Amino acid sequence: MNRDPFSYYHFGITENAAIKGTVNSMYSLFMAVGVIGLLLTVVLIGMKLMSQNPSKRAEALEEMKWKALIAIAIFGMTGFIGTVLSMVAAFT
């Protein structure tokens, strides 16, 4: 699978090894940040729910549901993009 985003545009940038290395490094960094962000979000949600009184747990669960969806949307984007690229590469 070709993980070089510039290969689709034919700008002549793909011949530059420094740019290719930087792009690949940044993609790996964003994937790591995404995974850490998702895990941290799940842990914090669990800790918040465990620390609430049973009477306030339903309210905390409703509040944390929206925060969890936003965090998954933000941090999960890099994984989603990688999955889409893998599917495109499988069909081409």
Side-chain angles (χ1 to χ4, degrees):
M1 183 172 108
N2 189 3
R3 293 212 182 255
D4 182 13
F6 298 111
S7 66
Y8 303 107
Y9 294 111
H10 308 295
F11 291 138
I13 297 175
T14 56
E15 289 81 27
N16 191 339
I19 292 176
K20 288 173 78 171
T22 303
V23 169
N24 288 333
S25 296
M26 291 299 292
Y27 180 76
S28 298
L29 174 68
F30 289 148
M31 283 295 284
V33 168
V35 168
I36 291 170
L38 282 172
L39 291 175
L40 189 62
T41 300
V42 169
V43 168
L44 290 175
I45 288 171
M47 290 175 58
K48 174 122 181 172
L49 288 176
M50 287 188 319
S51 67
Q52 293 291 328
N53 294 336
S55 61
K56 293 185 179 182
R57 191 166 289 156
E59 179 184 324
L61 184 62
E62 184 66 29
E63 176 187 343
M64 295 305 288
K65 179 174 68 172
W66 291 109
K67 289 181 182 179
L69 288 174
I70 291 169
I72 289 170
I74 291 172
F75 294 120
M77 190 58 63
T78 55
F80 177 72
I81 291 171
T83 304
V84 169
L85 285 176
S86 297
M87 289 172 29
V88 167
F91 290 116
T92 57

